[in-house]
Amino acid sequence: MNHNLAFALRQVMVRPAKLELLNTYRGVPLVYAATLLAITETTLTIKVNGYEIICLTLEPATTLLSPLLEDPVRANVQTCDLTSGVSTLSNFQYTSAQVGDRMIARVAPHTPLAVELEAGDRTLIGQLADVSIVGLGLTVSAAEAAHLRPNLPVSVALTLPIEPATPLRLAGTVRSVKLEGAPQNFHNRVGIRFNPASQPVVIHRYVRERQEEITRELRTLYEQRIAESGS
C-alpha cells in the first residue's frame, strides 16, 4: 500500500473520521457509512451496519470516501460476511476519475422501453438502457450505431412508464458510441446528454420512483441472503 495512503487511512481509523463507501446497484449510487476496524500492509478490514453491505457481494470493488483522503480510493473486495457486516478490502488506488458521474442516479427501466432517435435525416429505434436527469443510454444495432458520432445533435422521443403517461421529445447530443458486453452478447450503446433546457419534471419523478424501487429491491435481496445464511 502507498505510504501516504496508509498514513491517511490510519488517521481515518484513530481520529475517528467519517468513512463512507460508494457503490452502484442498477445504476443507483449508494453512499453508506463504514467503520475501519484494522489495517495491514495490504488490506483493510471494515464493518458496515446497514443492508448496503450486500453491495460488496454484487460488485468486485468499492470506493472509499473520507475528508482525510486526498481523493476517493478505489479498492477490491476480498471477502465479505453479510452476517457480521465485516469485509476485507485490498488493492488500493487513489482515483478521482468519473466518481462525480457515478453519483448521478441512472435508473434502468423495469421492462424494455423503445426510444426513437432522430439524427439529421435519419430516424433510429433503440432500447432504453438507463435514464438520468442529465441524459440517457440506449442500445442500437451495429448498422444504426454506424451513423452516430460524439457531439452529433439529436432528439429522442420516448414515453416513460409513469402516470399520467407523457410522451417526451428531448433535444441533446451524442456523448459516446461504444461496443459493450461479453463476446457472446455484444451490443452497441449510445450515450445521450440532454440539452440543459430539456429536463422535464417527469424525468425527475421517474428517476426518483425507480430509485426507491431499486433500493427496496436491494434491501430485500440482503434480507433473503441473511435468511438463507441462517437456515
Side-chain angles (χ1 to χ4, degrees):
M1 188 187 304
N2 175 283
H3 174 75
N4 291 337
L5 175 56
F7 176 80
L9 288 169
R10 287 191 178 92
Q11 293 302 303
V12 172
M13 183 175 179
V14 301
R15 289 186 63 167
K18 182 178 181 182
L19 176 66
E20 294 178 317
L21 303 184
L22 165 65
N23 285 86
T24 60
Y25 178 67
R26 298 191 185 279
V28 174
L30 294 106
V31 177
Y32 51 100
T35 301
L36 184 48
L37 300 178
I39 302 175
T40 73
E41 291 184 359
T42 58
T43 66
L44 294 183
T45 302
I46 60 159
K47 182 175 178 61
V48 177
N49 289 322
Y51 71 92
E52 295 93 345
I53 185 70
I54 189 74
C55 293
L56 302 183
T57 70
L58 302 174
E59 278 194 88
T62 187
T63 300
L64 283 67
L65 307 172
S66 172
L68 293 183
L69 299 173
E70 63 182 69
D71 273 314
V73 173
R74 191 73 170 158
N76 290 345
V77 179
Q78 194 174 76
T79 65
C80 182
D81 185 324
L82 293 181
T83 303
S84 66
V86 173
S87 176
T88 304
L89 308 178
S90 62
N91 299 327
F92 309 97
Q93 186 174 10
Y94 275 120
T95 174
S96 58
Q98 299 182 333
V99 170
D101 285 348
R102 295 188 77 207
M103 296 296 288
I104 299 173
R106 302 177 178 276
V107 298
H110 185 65
T111 56
L113 187 64
V115 179
E116 182 182 278
L117 177 67
E118 289 189 2
D121 59 354
R122 294 183 178 274
T123 299
L124 315 176
I125 302 296
Q127 292 287 328
L128 183 67
D130 54 51
V131 62
S132 74
I133 61 173
V134 298
L136 58 78
L138 67 154
T139 57
V140 299
S141 68
E144 291 175 326
H147 298 293
L148 303 173
R149 65 182 187 280
N151 300 318
L152 179 69
V154 296
S155 70
V156 294
L158 73 161
T159 301
L160 294 172
I162 191 170
E163 296 296 336
T166 306
L168 300 174
R169 182 166 291 278
L170 309 169
T173 56
V174 175
R175 185 180 184 186
S176 61
V177 183
K178 297 186 291 186
L179 189 64
E180 293 186 346
Q184 66 274 20
N185 188 32
F186 279 132
H187 58 272
N188 293 273
R189 180 186 171 93
V190 180
I192 306 293
R193 181 175 291 278
F194 299 142
N195 292 350
S198 298
Q199 296 177 7
V201 172
V202 65
I203 288 185
H204 289 252
R205 187 157 66 91
Y206 176 71
V207 169
R208 185 179 67 251
E209 291 183 5
R210 276 296 289 147
Q211 188 170 4
E212 291 172 353
E213 291 173 359
I214 290 168
T215 301
R216 287 196 298 271
E217 178 185 327
L218 187 65
R219 187 188 293 271
T220 299
L221 179 59
Y222 166 76
E223 292 170 351
Q224 289 174 344
R225 292 274 188 89
I226 290 294
E228 289 168 0
S229 66
S231 61

